[in-house]
Amino acid sequence: MKPLEYCNGILKLIDQTLLPGEHNIVELNNYVEIADAIKNMIVRGAPAIGVTAAYGLAIAAKSINTDSKNEFFDQLKKVCDIIKSTRPTAVNLFWAVDRVYDKAVSNKDKSIEEIKELIETEACLMEKEDVEANRNIGQHGNELIKEGSTILTHCNAGALATCDYGTALGIIRAAHESGKKIQVFADETRPYLQGARLTAWELMQDGIPVTLICDNMAGHFMKEGLIDCVIVGADRIALNGDTANKIGTYSLAVLAKENNIPFYVAAPISTIDFSIKNGDQIPIEERNPIEITHIKGIRIAPEGVNVRNPAFDVTPNKYISAIVTDRGIIYPPYDENIIKYR
Ligand code: MRU
């Protein structure tokens, strides 16, 4: 299942705001629409946002009509800044934009047409690399999964959040494909319901047994002894292992520790922000209160009520048993071990 597909200057996205009820594909052919699609979560999930941004730059570059290289790079830089301003937390967005821009700059001696082609090729390569990374995460992570396990996951770190296969769900898929009889408990993930709408749907498509629970039920099932491990994705991992992921991840990690349940983070190396020492430096996106006060356009909270809606939280490294990456499993002490993957 691929959430995005690029061909000849057009990016097709599955509109994830409508799943699972409607399977609608939107076709985007300019960077403004692509920036809006990231902001409005038509596409979401850290790796998918990154690759979408890269294609946004490829499409923007094609449309820059000038013979002047200075003008070309000025305009490209402006597009980079606009795309970077869409969502602040997932580092993959910034990583992807910088990687594409750096590719262009390091080839500035070539013709503008050649640079445009190089940008497009780089974006396509990033899509391919993401799928390979997820397969590798799956293989490494499968070593941690015991036969018969029940795995709790939060949000959607699946094929829909990447370019295919998924990170946390990549491990779950790999375990299932290797013949292990596993099952998944999926948190619904208020307020945007990525767990209920996307993870439950994705796993059902693959025939992987899944049970949907409300976020506030996780502690109960852990205490009852039903959960063998927790696996979540990540939006940004600091050098010391502190990890930003969907709001509610931190509470799960504390509950897992309290109940002696391993808590694993699954992410490609591109989700590590080597420029920040710890999680205090991770910007947390605050989204529109309407996501809390309304469900599908119906108001469920009193008009005028104060609302906070942070989309992510930071789980301190001490709660994380291991970080499963495409290049292997990183164990504590993270402040010594993560830097080796730079
Ligand atoms: O707000 P979202 O849906 O973009 O948040 C997604 C998550 O928090 C995922 O867990 C994370 O991006 C990892 S996706 C492989």
Side-chain angles (χ1 to χ4, degrees):
M1 183 188 309
K2 291 181 79 65
L4 52 91
E5 200 183 303
Y6 175 81
C7 191
N8 291 333
I10 295 180
L11 182 65
K12 293 184 189 174
L13 297 175
I14 300 179
D15 185 346
Q16 298 193 34
T17 64
L18 302 176
L19 286 173
E22 271 178 63
H23 194 280
N24 194 37
I25 309 286
V26 293
E27 293 194 9
L28 311 176
N29 62 9
N30 67 71
Y31 79 88
V32 177
E33 287 177 343
I34 290 174
D36 281 348
I38 296 173
K39 206 179 181 90
N40 299 324
M41 293 173 70
I42 285 172
V43 62
R44 31 68 50 202
I49 292 171
V51 174
T52 299
Y55 280 128
L57 282 180
I59 290 169
K62 272 181 193 287
S63 70
I64 300 174
N65 196 4
T66 176
D67 294 332
S68 150
K69 250 187 226 168
N70 283 345
E71 173 68 16
F72 176 80
F73 277 103
D74 279 356
Q75 289 201 35
L76 192 64
K77 181 78 182 53
K78 277 189 193 133
V79 177
C80 289
D81 292 343
I82 290 169
I83 293 181
K84 279 181 175 180
S85 72
T86 51
R87 296 192 74 188
T89 305
V91 77
N92 308 60
L93 172 67
F94 305 90
W95 168 85
V97 170
D98 289 343
R99 176 168 154 177
V100 171
Y101 186 73
D102 291 349
K103 182 81 190 179
V105 170
S106 62
N107 285 282
K108 62 176 183 301
D109 294 340
K110 300 210 162 64
S111 73
I112 291 179
E113 283 318 303
E114 283 171 321
I115 296 171
K116 288 179 180 179
E117 269 178 38
L118 281 169
I119 291 176
E120 186 179 50
T121 307
E122 191 70 5
C124 295
L125 180 66
M126 286 161 80
E127 179 184 344
K128 197 171 149 267
E129 284 177 2
D130 182 62
V131 182
E132 281 167 13
N134 296 332
R135 294 261 171 198
N136 289 335
I137 289 170
Q139 263 187 1
H140 294 304
N142 189 16
E143 293 167 21
L144 301 169
I145 309 300
K146 297 193 182 78
E147 167 62 53
S149 288
T150 299
I151 301 160
L152 177 67
T153 191
H154 190 67
C155 193
N156 173 267
L160 287 165
T162 60
C163 295
D164 206 352
Y165 207 66
T167 55
L169 295 199
I171 298 177
I172 287 164
R173 282 198 164 90
H176 177 76
E177 285 163 9
S178 69
K180 289 178 188 164
K181 299 237 171 324
I182 54 154
Q183 62 161 319
V184 177
F185 270 43
D187 274 353
E188 66 170 348
T189 318
R190 272 280 285 158
Y192 214 71
L193 303 177
Q194 290 94 331
R197 297 189 303 104
L198 309 176
T199 298
W201 182 73
E202 223 190 281
L203 292 173
M204 287 172 80
Q205 304 283 307
D206 276 9
I208 300 174
V210 55
T211 301
L212 178 63
I213 61 170
C214 296
D215 303 334
N216 50 7
M217 298 172 186
H220 167 73
F221 288 117
M222 287 187 191
K223 193 157 151 286
E224 295 280 291
L226 259 75
I227 308 296
D228 297 298
C229 68
V230 180
I231 312 180
V232 297
D235 287 85
R236 196 187 288 235
I237 300 171
L239 262 183
N240 71 344
D242 290 352
T243 295
N245 189 51
K246 181 52 54 195
I247 191 77
T249 302
Y250 167 49
S251 333
L252 272 189
V254 175
L255 281 168
K257 183 104 173 168
E258 167 71 14
N259 289 281
N260 290 318
I261 295 168
F263 182 92
Y264 302 124
V265 169
I269 293 290
S270 52
T271 302
I272 300 175
D273 184 345
F274 291 98
S275 74
I276 57 168
K277 284 205 176 94
N278 60 53
D280 295 345
Q281 292 164 272
I282 301 178
I284 299 294
E285 178 181 12
E286 184 96 20
R287 291 188 64 85
N288 195 325
I290 204 167
E291 293 176 359
I292 310 264
T293 55
H294 290 66
I295 293 181
K296 289 212 161 214
I298 297 171
R299 174 177 283 285
I300 54 154
E303 201 146 349
V305 68
N306 285 333
V307 174
R308 289 292 311 272
N309 185 15
F312 301 95
D313 58 26
V314 175
T315 299
N317 59 8
K318 66 178 178 185
Y319 294 111
I320 301 171
S321 315
I323 301 174
V324 184
T325 77
D326 45 319
R327 284 171 43 199
I329 303 176
I330 311 179
Y331 290 99
Y334 297 116
D335 35 17
E336 281 174 27
N337 292 339
I338 287 182
I339 191 75
K340 296 176 192 159
Y341 289 77
R342 191 172 201 148

